[in-house]
Each structure stands twice: as structure tokens, then as C-alpha cells.
Amino acid sequence: MNIRTQLTFRYIGIVLLVLLAMYFYLATMLKDSMSSHITSDLEVQAELIREFLIEELPTKDNFTYDLIDSLVDRLGKANNARVTFIDLDGVVWGDTERDGQALREMDNHLTRPEVQDAIKNGSGIRERYSNTTQTGFRYFALPIHRNVGPEISPDGEGTLIGICRVALPMVAVNTAIGNLRRVVLIASVAGLILAIVFSVFSTGAITKPIKKLTQMTQSLAAGNINSRVPVDSRNELGQLSQNFNLMANRIQEQIDKISEEHRRSETILKNMGEGVLLVNGASEMTYANPAAISMLELPDTYIGKALIEINRIPELQVLLKKAEQTEAIAFAEIQLGNLREPEAEVTVVPVSAGQEYVIVIHDVTKERQLERIRADFVANVSHELRTPLTTIQGYAETLLGENSVRTKTSEQFIVKIFNHSTRLTRLVSDLLELSRLELGEVELKRSLCHLNTFHEPILDVFEPLLEESGLVLKWEIPETLPKVNIDRQLYMQIFVNLIDNAIKYTPDGGAITVSAETRSHEETEGSDIASEEFILSVKDTGIGIPMESQPRVFERFYRVDEGRAREMGGTGLGLAIVKHIVLCHNGRIWIESTLGQGSTFYVAVPL
Ligand code: ADP
């Protein structure tokens, strides 16, 4: 049953109830008021008739049927009612409904209740079916007192001579009440018909906008975002329609915005150099931008296929597995082609709690080529420069060693040539070393050795310098530590560069502490795969490195204080070389430093 029918039935039900109640109330009320109206009419008429009879009646001895009946008939006619006169013995002397013989044959009326009430109580009223007239009547009886001769009744009213009775036929009363009832009934039925018509129209007015709203929401749900409802009124339904339209507008705006953003990201994804892949929780591909399609040479039907099915690069699978297991970003350099170097930087980012993974592939082929060209160039230049520089340095040294007579100026020049050529030779050999490390030309000659075996060679190198600077070197590597599998020569370079820096940047009277320990290291955050690391630390009480420079000191030629570093004779490549050697050992390097208090360099290699 739809809402309109429901409302209509409810309306009609309510109206019906009200009309029924009204009908019964009115009918009863009207009947009562009519009845009391008739009674009071009867009373008035009876009173008048009594007065008349008191005056007109002859004495008891002169009573004749004809005389009294004609008197009563006149009274009945005048009052349009049935009038009866009964004497104290119950004999009916006059009645408007009976004449002649019929009157004389009438029953004794003394036992009639209204007559008895009139004698006893002064008046009597009754409603009854009359055998005499064969109809229902309402009777009202009053006693008639009269002073007869000198005889005065004790109450002053006179002597009771008879009873006059006035009656109205109930047919008239009932017809009047019936007529009234009919009028009320007709009014109720008319009201009901009106109510039905009204309810049909008014419920229609209510349900029409609801119907339109329903149609609109259905249309919206079906995807027709342009559908709107007409707003015809200002009531709650009108407001509801307006709100629906507003909501639809908002939805349209949001959809437009999302479509715009989608278009934008689509354009970005299509035109970006990086390859972007989307893989679901089951490692099936859901999206690949054109760059990714060309980098991984994906077929047209890649969507829904497992990554492993389409692409056979094992490192990519390993990286995806890693991101799946750790639920964290995984990064690796992966070789996409057949070249020796890793050709792409790949990042796997888990999205929506492992439901999806974004794989971003950054092709670094060109960068790597350029880096190789640069490293090659530097290596070649350094190599070419080394021989003439060594020659210049050698000649200058020979000249300085000669005991020949020289002017002061030429002596100064030779010293300058020697110093600068020494610095240049150092720079060139550092550059060459760095290039070889970068190009991967250095082959690690690993052997197991205890770090304490470096103590003596280090002292040999730095003892004079330490004495000169008034510094102490504290060697605190415990004998109990295990041996490490390293390239001795390259590791010596780490020691030399770090201790050399510590000496350079620590003022007189300071201390340099070399120590080591083993520690377990969590390979990746959140992973429970832990590995043992061997950590070497070189700590000084020197000038320290400002926070902002700490990440940069491992870049080539980066210096915190350019002038001071140059004065110290540094090349700016020391830490870059250390970093590359550490990377060759699959290790990591980091600093802890407080400005003015000192720095600690940590070198960790896996055990
Ligand atoms: P350099 O040859 O100039 O010392 P490095 O690569 O060895 O070059 O170091 C880079 C820079 O890092 C230095 O110029 C210096 O500013 C800073 N540095 C390195 N070691 C220390 C240290 N122990 N204390 C303070 N600063 C240091």
C-alpha cells in the first residue's frame, strides 16, 4: 500500500470517527432538548387548561357528559392536544378523542399513574401507549381545586374536584426527532464525502513531491547525476527537495573535482618519465603507466595478470615480497637491461594496509652513464697528471737537496713548487683512488684480521704528527673482539683518513680514541631479521661538525670551513673515499658530533 492510500485511509478513518461521535452526540442532545421542550409546553398548556376549567366547570351535581366533553373538546382544539377531565372517582367526563357513547364507555382512569401522581404530588407525567387511541402519548396531569360554597380547604387551595390531563402524541415527538436525526445524518454523509474528496486531493499534494523525490533519487542512483526535483512549496517537503537538489549539486561538484583530479593524475602518470605500476594484494597488476609498460616491456593484456607471469626480473619480485612482509617502503637498485650496473631505482610503497602496492621505477641508465663518463674522465685526467706532477715534485725535491748557492727568491720559489706539487700529487692520487672505487675497478682482497693489527702501522704513520700537535691516541679495541673479513689495505685507508681528520680538527692537548664493538643490527625497520655488525669508531675532542653539515661531509670536496681545511692541507676527498670503501664492504658510515666538543665517526661492516 503506497503512502497516498495509507494517508487517505487514515484521513477518512479520523473523519468517520468524528462524524459518528458528532452524530450520536447531536442525536441524543437534540432528542433530550426536544423532549424537555415538549414537557415544558405540556406543563404550560396544562396550567392554562386547569385555570380555564376551574373557572368554567359546573358543580359536581351539574356534571353532564355533553357539557364537560364539549368544554374539553374546545380546549383540545385550541391547544392542539388531547385533553381529558377525570373526576375524583376516576370517571372520564370529557376527552378530545372520545365522544358520546364511546366516552361513556371509557375505563375508570383513577388508577392511571399520572392521575395518582397528580393527586398525591400535585402533578404527574408519564409516557405510555394509549389503548384508547392506539398511539403513544406523553401525559401531564394536574389536580383541579376549587372553593365550593363556604367550605374552605385547610391549605387554602380549595377542594379537589378532579384532574385535568393534557397529552401530546409521541408520534409528533418521534417524527421531529427522526427528522433531526436525518438532517444530522445527511450532514455527516456530506461531510464524509467532502472529507474523502479533500483527503484524496490533499494526500496527493503531499505525496506528489515525495514521488518526485523518489524518482530523482532513483535516477541519481542509476548514475544520472543531472536529475533535480522541482521545488514547488516552502514547507518541509519543499525544503527537503531543496536539500536534495543541494546534495545532488555537491555530489556533482565532488564528481567533477574527482574527475578533474583523475584527468590530471592520468596526464601526469602518462607523461612522467618514471614507470608507475599498481599491484593488488595478490601481486596482480591493476595499472601501469606508459613508461612502466615500455620499461618492463609489458604486453597489452597485462591487467589482472600476476607480475611474475609477465615480468621475469627476480629482484622486482624479491622487493615486492619484502614490502609485503614488512608493510614498509622497500627500495632497491635493479638491473632492468643486461648492463653491469643497476639501471633503475625501484621503490615499492604499500597502500591501504597491504591491499595494494605502488611500484615506482626510476630509470637511471643515463645518470649512470654520465657518472661513468665523469669518473672515467677524472680517472684519465688524474692518471695523465700524475706522471708530470711526480716529475716536478721529484726535481724540486732534488733541487732543494742540492747544496748549491741560490738567491733567497729562487730558494722560496723551489720550496713553493715542492709544496704545491706535493699537494697536487696528493689530490690527484685521491681523485684517482675515488674514481677507481666509483667505477668499481677496485677488487676487494678480503682476509680475516683483527683490528688491533692496525695499531702499530698507524702509530708508525701518525706518531710524529701526534707529538707535534700534543695529542694522545687512545687505542681501545678489546683483544676479545672477533676478526673481521676485510680488505686490509683499504681498511688501512679508512683508519688513516679518519685519524688524519681527527688530528687536523682537534686542538692541542686533545685526545683521539679508537675503539670497536660488535652489535646486532635490525636490517630493516619492523623486521625481525637481525644481523651482527662490527662497529669501528674514531672519536676526537675537536671542533665538531655543525648539524646541517653532518650529512654532507661525505660528499666530495665538501668542507665545513673552506679556508681552514685548505690550510690544513686537506683535499676534501678523504671522507668520500672512506664512504666508498665502506660501501664496497657492504657497510655503513655515520657521524655523531657536537660543535666545540668533538666528533665520532662510526664505520659498521656486517660480520
Ligand atoms: P679534508 O681533506 O678537507 O679534511 P674530508 O673529506 O676528509 O676533507 O672532510 C670533509 C670535511 O669534513 C672537512 O673539510 C671538515 O670540515 C670536516 N671534518 C672531517 N673530519 C672532521 C673532524 N674529525 N672534526 C671536525 N670536522 C671534520
Side-chain angles (χ1 to χ4, degrees):
M1 201 189 281
N2 63 24
I3 195 161
R4 187 175 177 176
T5 326
Q6 275 178 5
L7 275 177
T8 311
F9 274 117
R10 269 178 216 179
Y11 258 134
I12 294 171
I14 292 167
V15 170
L16 202 66
L17 273 178
V18 171
L19 286 177
L20 271 176
M22 204 178 74
Y23 171 76
F24 283 113
Y25 173 72
L26 274 181
T28 338
M29 202 194 72
L30 285 172
K31 188 183 167 190
D32 289 351
S33 94
M34 192 88 179
S35 170
S36 61
H37 186 70
I38 289 166
T39 307
S40 62
D41 267 6
L42 265 178
E43 280 172 8
V44 173
Q45 282 176 343
E47 200 63 55
L48 285 172
I49 289 166
R50 175 164 73 168
E51 289 306 317
F52 185 82
L53 284 176
I54 290 172
E55 290 298 323
E56 295 295 324
L57 275 178
T59 53
K60 171 95 188 215
D61 312 331
N62 300 324
F63 276 11
T64 61
Y65 280 107
D66 291 338
L67 178 76
I68 293 177
D69 192 41
S70 74
L71 202 60
V72 165
D73 281 354
R74 261 168 51 216
L75 281 171
K77 208 174 233 169
N79 287 289
N80 198 18
R82 178 183 171 197
V83 182
T84 316
F85 176 76
I86 308 143
D87 72 5
L88 286 178
D89 303 318
V91 180
V92 181
W93 287 94
D95 189 290
T96 30
E97 301 293 318
R98 289 280 188 278
D99 291 314
Q101 194 51 39
L103 177 66
R104 286 175 185 86
E105 282 170 9
M106 273 178 77
D107 309 340
N108 186 298
H109 269 50
L110 197 64
T111 52
R112 298 287 195 269
E114 66 276 6
V115 175
Q116 280 299 316
D117 279 355
I119 296 168
K120 278 182 205 143
N121 307 323
S123 72
I125 186 159
R126 280 291 185 283
E127 215 166 87
R128 195 176 60 246
Y129 188 79
S130 153
N131 287 327
T132 320
T133 56
Q134 304 288 312
T135 43
F137 272 99
R138 180 173 291 183
Y139 302 97
F140 188 73
L142 283 176
I144 300 173
H145 298 268
R146 201 166 54 176
N147 288 325
V148 187
E151 230 179 284
I152 304 254
S153 68
D155 51 11
E157 276 187 344
T159 316
L160 181 64
I161 55 160
I163 289 101
C164 78
R165 193 181 71 172
V166 186
L168 274 178
M170 286 310 288
V171 184
V173 177
N174 289 339
T175 317
I177 290 170
N179 284 344
L180 258 174
R181 275 202 173 147
R182 210 166 303 125
V183 168
V184 172
L185 192 69
I186 289 169
S188 300
V189 171
L192 190 66
I193 292 167
L194 269 177
I196 292 171
V197 174
F198 172 76
S199 68
V200 167
F201 279 108
S202 68
T203 51
I206 294 172
T207 52
K208 206 171 107 189
I210 296 179
K211 228 180 211 167
K212 280 186 191 160
L213 264 177
T214 316
Q215 280 166 355
M216 179 241 181
T217 44
Q218 272 169 350
S219 160
L220 254 185
N224 184 7
I225 195 69
N226 292 320
S227 56
R228 296 287 183 278
V229 239
V231 182
D232 316 316
S233 64
R234 284 185 177 193
N235 60 15
E236 285 89 339
L237 279 172
Q239 279 170 13
L240 187 65
S241 311
Q242 208 164 9
N243 290 347
F244 257 103
N245 287 346
L246 274 178
M247 207 174 70
N249 287 350
R250 287 275 148 74
I251 293 173
Q252 186 155 24
E253 276 170 26
Q254 290 298 324
I255 289 179
D256 288 349
K257 215 188 245 172
I258 292 168
S259 314
E260 181 54 35
E261 261 160 34
H262 183 256
R263 260 198 302 279
R264 212 177 284 165
S265 22
E266 192 64 33
T267 317
I268 295 172
L269 282 168
K270 266 195 181 134
N271 295 297
M272 69 195 280
E274 273 88 5
V276 179
L277 280 177
L278 278 182
V279 176
N280 65 15
S283 298
E284 289 162 355
M285 276 189 283
T286 51
Y287 173 81
N289 72 345
I293 292 175
S294 87
M295 277 176 193
L296 301 177
E297 292 165 357
L298 299 178
D300 292 342
T301 55
Y302 69 86
I303 286 183
K305 295 237 166 89
L307 188 61
I308 194 148
E309 220 181 287
I310 289 188
N311 183 277
R312 301 250 168 236
I313 301 167
E315 287 97 326
L316 202 56
Q317 310 299 334
V318 171
L319 200 63
L320 187 60
K321 273 267 130 45
K322 192 172 162 188
E324 275 172 11
Q325 278 165 3
T326 59
E327 279 303 321
I329 297 175
F331 173 84
E333 291 187 341
I334 291 176
Q335 195 178 341
L336 290 180
N338 296 320
L339 292 166
R340 193 165 49 88
E341 287 289 314
E343 297 298 310
E345 288 173 352
V346 183
T347 315
V348 183
V349 186
V351 217
S352 47
Q355 291 305 297
E356 206 165 40
Y357 297 88
V358 179
I359 304 177
V360 181
I361 307 170
H362 177 52
D363 187 354
V364 287
T365 321
K366 279 208 183 95
E367 282 101 312
R368 290 291 137 86
Q369 265 171 1
L370 282 174
E371 270 171 36
R372 265 197 297 278
I373 292 168
R374 184 190 52 77
D376 273 342
F377 174 75
V378 174
N380 288 338
V381 170
S382 314
H383 194 76
E384 290 304 318
L385 283 176
R386 203 155 65 155
T387 323
L389 272 174
T390 325
T391 315
I392 294 167
Q393 192 191 8
Y395 283 138
E397 200 172 5
T398 317
L399 277 177
L400 276 179
E402 266 183 2
N403 275 335
S404 54
V405 187
R406 278 187 298 259
T407 61
K408 208 178 165 199
T409 324
S410 57
E411 175 78 20
Q412 276 176 348
F413 282 0
I414 299 169
V415 170
K416 275 202 170 152
I417 293 170
F418 178 72
N419 283 347
H420 282 290
S421 56
T422 311
R423 222 172 80 80
L424 266 179
T425 314
R426 216 163 39 222
L427 178 66
V428 164
S429 67
D430 274 2
L431 270 176
L432 200 58
E433 169 106 33
L434 191 59
S435 305
R436 284 175 56 229
L437 283 165
E438 279 179 340
L439 285 168
E441 283 175 1
V442 178
E443 224 174 275
L444 287 193
K445 294 188 195 88
R446 282 187 191 256
S447 63
L448 272 179
C449 64
H450 198 282
L451 286 198
N452 274 345
T453 53
F454 287 94
H455 192 193
E456 247 187 68
I458 291 290
L459 279 183
D460 287 347
V461 178
F462 289 109
E463 209 148 34
L465 206 56
L466 286 164
E467 265 172 33
E468 195 186 304
S469 328
L471 298 169
V472 273
L473 176 71
K474 296 181 190 165
W475 194 271
E476 290 179 354
I477 300 180
E479 271 304 325
T480 49
L481 279 188
K483 289 179 175 177
V484 251
N485 192 16
I486 48 170
D487 184 311
R488 260 193 75 84
Q489 212 180 335
L490 289 177
Y491 232 74
M492 183 64 184
Q493 185 82 54
I494 294 178
F495 271 112
V496 169
N497 287 9
L498 290 183
I499 295 171
D500 187 43
N501 277 350
I503 294 172
K504 276 196 289 189
Y505 301 106
T506 306
D508 285 1
I512 297 153
T513 314
V514 177
S515 56
E517 59 173 329
T518 56
R519 212 189 279 169
S520 72
H521 162 64
E522 298 230 327
E523 266 194 332
T524 36
E525 251 175 79
S527 145
D528 41 28
I529 320 159
S531 64
E532 278 258 278
E533 273 188 332
F534 190 95
I535 301 169
L536 164 73
S537 64
V538 178
K539 181 180 173 188
D540 63 50
T541 54
I543 57 169
I545 303 166
M547 203 59 181
E548 65 275 12
S549 298
Q550 288 181 16
R552 300 201 58 194
V553 291
F554 298 105
E555 289 172 16
R556 46 178 98 81
F557 297 117
Y558 181 83
R559 284 143 168 167
V560 177
D561 181 345
E562 195 77 35
R564 184 184 183 133
R566 213 180 287 277
E567 202 181 291
M568 293 294 178
T571 58
L573 296 172
L575 287 180
I577 292 174
V578 170
K579 184 186 159 188
H580 271 91
I581 296 174
V582 175
L583 290 181
C584 287
H585 282 85
N586 295 325
R588 50 197 191 98
I589 182 165
W590 70 98
I591 321 169
E592 278 169 15
S593 179
T594 314
L595 211 55
Q597 285 184 20
S599 321
T600 311
F601 284 79
Y602 294 93
V603 169
V605 285
L607 258 182

